[in-house]
Amino acid sequence: MCGIVAYVGHKNAVPILIKGLERLEYRGYDSAGIAVLNATNDISIFKKKGKVKKLREKTPENTNSHIGIGHTRWATHGEPSDRNAHPHMAQNGQLAIIHNGIIENYDVLKEALRKEGHEFVSDTDTEVLIHLIEEVQKREKVSLEKAVQQALKEVIGAYAIVILDKNNPNQLIAARKSSPLVIGIGDNEFYLASDATPIVEYTKEVVYLDDGEIATVNNEGDFFIKTIEDESKTPFVQELEIELDRLEKGGFEHFMLKEIFEQPKTIADALRGRLDAGKGVIFMGGLQEYEQKFINARRLLFVACGTSWHSGLIGEYLFEELARIPVEVDYASEFRYRNPIIHEDDIVIAISQSGETADTLAALELAKEKGATIFGICNVVGSSIARLTDSGAYTHAGPEIGVASTKAFTSQLAVITLMALHTAHLKGTITESQFRQYINALDNIPGKVEKVLSENQDIILDIAKEYKDAHNFLYLGRGHNFPVALEGALKLKEISYIHAEGYPAAEMKHGPIALIDENMPCVVVATNLNAHEKIVSNIQEVKARKGKIIAIVNKHTKAKIEDIADHLIIVPSTEDILAPLIAIVPLQLLSYHIAVMRGCDVDQPRNLAKSVTV
């Protein structure tokens, strides 16, 4: 949600800022802007509603500026427009700011600043913040760094900010709270961004700011970190693991399609070094120290949002069936508002692609206060969730640029499956032969996903052509495949803007069946053999009302279904507990092709942002 990029050094800043915003556009694409110090040492601002390419067309590259800040916006306060686009200026014209997050008490601050004579030109909370910093600096007669410290003490909310000061033409000041900010270290130069994607091209050495920290950097290589309370901190330098080629489309039309086709590799990467099917072992470093806590856990609580919540639902099936541990799955956004009962022998597992999801972080902080063990499953190394949790596991999916999550979902499932199998094996709730059977099947999943991708494209394209103009879809599944139905419906909603709902197949009779007619396509995820007869009955109920059936089956479950379904997508068979890893792939492809045929922006669907940090 919103992308930040900034540079100070000796290179021309404008190309770095524009390219950085293009890499960050998946985080926000309502408007974009940059501010640089020009040859006369004044702040020049260029900003434009819409995509970064519109900003590129408007912005001259020959400003000869060596310092600047840039931002791509996902609107919160104020509609997308040129005037609401960042950067925003202080009233005196000496300061410019970019901001990711929400200042919750901006209206109170704004009213107080108006009484001091401040006038505002935008509807944003961000403009209020830079006016507040200006007012504190003027009133207290302190340095900009001190003014930032004092102003942020008056702020309620989340922020990652970078400030450009015309009176300090070689220096940037940055701060964060509950919103990510990373600083790349070059040769007497610094790159600041909301994630590492704009930085990796220039340096692999980075520092992740922690909550409540303020950084000052300049073009002489000086780097200082202090807290809001003025305590000095030593920067902890880490090395980026991202490869630049993973940020490119690689010949695919869209990032989403590329990421769907990367799944054989990303699932294998999630398993690599953790699963040795030949030796019959699972080893997870992040789990090792906490094995006894998992074995003795009163219950597990998965907290997540969106696609990650669907991963948690499948985790519930896996842990309860295999390890016999009670599991609850909560929307992180609701968890802290229902005053949950949390015990010290509970384990709270947070799932997040970005590792920065604000609601999930808040849920973890509450769980930590209550004394529970907190465990993180995320994709981004050095992210806030990774730093907050007691332990965790990275999914190793690599950068996911498409806003609609695909490879992150299957990588999360692979990690959760490993955890459930390992815990069940340690507890003795599955036999050694069952354990071997499951891990051998899991080891074969990447190859089976590859087969889905290579064998079903034409079938899925034909289905997409037939139903691209549908107004509604119903997705049905039983057992482990119920969350797959939810995820399939979510993908279609996110990128094609077709209304879609996922339901447990048996629940169809409790309401949704009223919607079924000849215009209602029903996608049935029917790869689980243990509920085959019941799923066949559900399909017959839909057909009796003239609904259209698109069935995901395998060679064992296609019996009876192939005779009544309108469309059949056959995927490789596997153990029922592993079926979601395969069954979701054709649903991702179906959503993708329908969206493309409808002319939708697949990688950057309207109103959505990749990382929800507020």
Side-chain angles (χ1 to χ4, degrees):
M1 182 177 292
C2 299
I4 282 175
V5 63
Y7 173 76
V8 59
H10 303 280
K11 299 187 180 86
N12 185 359
V14 172
I16 294 170
L17 297 176
I18 296 293
K19 184 182 284 189
L21 292 181
E22 288 172 340
R23 294 212 188 280
L24 287 170
E25 194 168 22
Y26 69 96
R27 297 180 67 99
Y29 34 90
D30 293 337
S31 59
I34 65 169
V36 294
L37 284 181
N38 58 32
T40 60
N41 210 37
D42 290 318
I43 297 176
S44 295
I45 290 185
F46 308 91
K47 51 187 184 177
K48 193 72 179 169
K49 176 185 174 182
K51 301 292 184 70
V52 176
K53 65 181 179 181
K54 291 187 176 180
L55 176 67
R56 179 184 280 279
E57 292 166 359
K58 179 180 178 178
T59 307
E61 288 200 1
N62 58 350
T63 58
N64 197 33
S65 175
H66 304 295
I67 185 171
I69 58 178
H71 187 271
T72 181
R73 182 172 184 246
W74 189 88
T76 53
H77 294 76
E79 66 181 9
S81 65
D82 289 358
R83 70 187 183 90
N84 285 331
H86 298 213
H88 289 286
M89 294 283 288
Q91 186 153 285
N92 60 16
Q94 295 180 0
L95 304 175
I97 190 172
I98 51 177
H99 165 225
N100 182 11
I102 287 180
I103 306 303
E104 295 176 9
N105 62 334
Y106 84 101
D107 51 348
V108 175
L109 296 171
K110 190 173 189 176
E111 188 58 33
L113 288 164
R114 277 188 172 136
K115 291 177 180 178
E116 297 295 329
H118 288 260
E119 297 179 359
F120 299 90
V121 298
S122 79
D123 304 315
T124 68
D125 53 337
T126 303
E127 188 186 9
V128 174
L129 178 56
I130 195 63
H131 279 242
L132 175 64
I133 292 168
E134 174 195 7
E135 180 66 22
V136 170
Q137 188 177 25
K138 181 179 71 173
R139 185 180 67 223
E140 303 295 332
K141 296 180 173 53
V142 293
S143 68
L144 179 58
E145 181 188 45
K146 292 290 186 184
V148 171
Q149 285 177 325
Q150 293 183 37
L152 291 179
K153 290 178 183 178
E154 300 182 34
V155 164
I156 299 170
Y159 53 79
I161 59 172
V162 185
I163 299 171
L164 177 65
D165 179 5
K166 66 174 292 183
N167 293 325
N168 290 282
N170 301 312
Q171 173 184 287
L172 293 172
I173 292 180
R176 70 150 283 179
K177 177 187 176 186
S178 302
S179 196
L181 197 61
V182 58
I183 301 174
I185 304 169
D187 184 12
N188 288 337
E189 61 182 358
F190 294 92
Y191 305 83
L192 295 84
S194 45
D195 67 44
T197 52
I199 291 174
V200 67
E201 184 172 348
Y202 307 103
T203 181
K204 289 292 188 76
E205 292 190 338
V206 299
V207 171
Y208 293 92
L209 284 190
D210 285 324
D211 271 3
E213 291 185 342
I214 300 170
T216 303
V217 296
N218 63 34
N219 64 0
E220 295 179 355
D222 296 323
F223 186 177
F224 306 102
I225 296 179
K226 289 187 177 181
T227 68
I228 290 177
E229 303 301 332
D230 207 34
E231 178 187 356
S232 294
K233 293 282 187 177
T234 301
F236 174 60
V237 181
Q238 302 183 47
E239 186 170 340
L240 288 176
E241 297 179 4
I242 301 174
E243 297 301 327
L244 188 60
D245 61 358
R246 301 193 78 172
L247 302 176
E248 307 295 340
K249 290 181 183 175
F252 287 91
E253 186 178 356
H254 297 97
F255 279 109
M256 182 180 179
L257 187 61
K258 177 195 176 195
E259 288 157 7
I260 290 171
F261 273 82
E262 283 180 337
Q263 288 176 111
K265 180 182 185 302
T266 54
I267 294 170
D269 287 344
L271 302 177
R272 183 173 293 115
R274 294 165 170 166
L275 171 65
D276 189 329
K279 293 181 180 178
V281 296
I282 291 174
F283 176 79
M284 300 185 71
L287 199 58
Q288 188 176 21
E289 185 181 345
Y290 292 88
E291 286 176 350
Q292 287 303 313
K293 284 186 176 289
F294 271 84
I295 290 170
N296 298 318
R298 178 193 296 243
R299 62 176 174 166
L300 307 181
L301 293 93
F302 284 100
V303 292
C305 301
T307 286
S308 296
W309 184 74
H310 297 155
S311 298
L313 288 177
I314 296 172
E316 179 180 19
Y317 283 95
L318 291 169
F319 269 97
E320 291 197 344
E321 179 176 335
L322 298 172
R324 309 306 296 157
I325 301 173
V327 178
E328 292 182 21
V329 185
D330 263 288
Y331 285 112
S333 53
E334 290 294 322
F335 184 70
R336 60 184 167 138
Y337 295 111
R338 64 176 180 83
N339 193 18
I341 299 169
I342 304 172
H343 304 283
E344 290 187 0
D345 50 354
D346 289 336
I347 298 177
V348 178
I349 302 174
I351 313 172
S352 168
Q353 189 282 137
S354 66
E356 302 291 349
T357 310
D359 288 317
T360 307
L361 278 164
L364 282 180
E365 287 165 357
L366 175 60
K368 196 165 192 174
E369 288 174 12
K370 302 285 188 180
T373 299
I374 56 175
F375 192 93
I377 298 172
C378 58
N379 188 32
V380 180
V381 176
S383 58
S384 296
I385 287 176
R387 297 200 302 273
L388 178 64
T389 48
D390 296 312
S391 188
Y394 287 118
T395 56
H396 301 304
E400 189 178 59
I401 306 301
V403 168
S405 185
T406 52
K407 65 177 182 175
F409 176 68
T410 49
S411 295
Q412 289 167 357
L413 289 189
V415 168
I416 293 168
T417 303
L418 285 172
M419 291 170 60
L421 284 169
H422 183 54
T423 305
H425 191 223
L426 290 173
K427 289 188 68 176
T429 49
I430 57 175
T431 66
E432 185 66 30
S433 63
Q434 286 175 317
F435 178 69
R436 291 274 186 159
Q437 181 178 334
Y438 287 140
I439 65 172
N440 285 330
L442 183 57
D443 196 41
N444 289 326
I445 289 293
K448 292 184 175 183
V449 171
E450 183 76 60
K451 195 172 182 182
V452 173
L453 292 166
S454 63
E455 294 182 353
N456 289 287
Q457 278 279 37
D458 291 342
I459 297 167
I460 293 170
L461 274 168
D462 288 342
I463 296 170
K465 287 175 187 174
E466 185 163 343
Y467 297 107
K468 66 181 176 64
D469 296 319
H471 296 292
N472 300 283
F473 267 73
L474 185 62
Y475 285 71
L476 303 173
R478 281 180 177 266
H480 304 83
N481 283 331
F482 160 50
V484 176
L486 291 174
E487 176 62 14
L490 177 61
K491 289 283 103 46
L492 191 69
K493 281 184 281 197
E494 284 180 314
I495 63 171
S496 76
Y497 318 139
I498 295 173
H499 174 253
E501 294 296 335
Y503 265 86
E507 284 295 303
M508 179 184 60
K509 295 188 289 295
H510 297 274
I513 198 167
L515 302 174
I516 294 172
D517 59 19
E518 65 274 13
N519 299 313
M520 172 70 86
C522 294
V523 180
V524 183
V525 188
T527 60
N528 37 345
L529 194 57
N530 63 358
H532 181 63
E533 294 299 329
K534 294 184 181 297
I535 290 171
V536 171
S537 295
N538 295 138
I539 292 173
Q540 288 170 332
E541 289 163 353
V542 174
K543 290 300 294 181
R545 289 153 182 86
K546 299 182 181 180
K548 302 295 184 181
I549 294 292
I550 303 163
I552 313 293
V553 299
N554 57 45
K555 66 181 181 181
H556 301 299
T557 64
K558 68 178 183 177
K560 299 182 182 179
I561 294 177
E562 61 184 334
D563 296 328
I564 53 176
D566 297 276
H567 308 276
L568 214 62
I569 300 173
I570 302 174
V571 300
S573 58
T574 187
E575 300 289 336
D576 277 356
I577 66 166
L578 306 179
L581 283 160
I582 295 173
I584 189 56
V585 177
L587 303 187
Q588 294 169 344
L589 282 171
L590 179 63
S591 299
Y592 170 81
H593 288 301
I594 288 175
V596 170
M597 291 175 189
R598 289 168 64 89
C600 300
D601 190 338
V602 172
D603 285 336
Q604 297 172 357
R606 69 188 183 202
N607 302 334
L608 294 179
K610 183 65 181 174
S611 179
V612 183
T613 58
V614 295

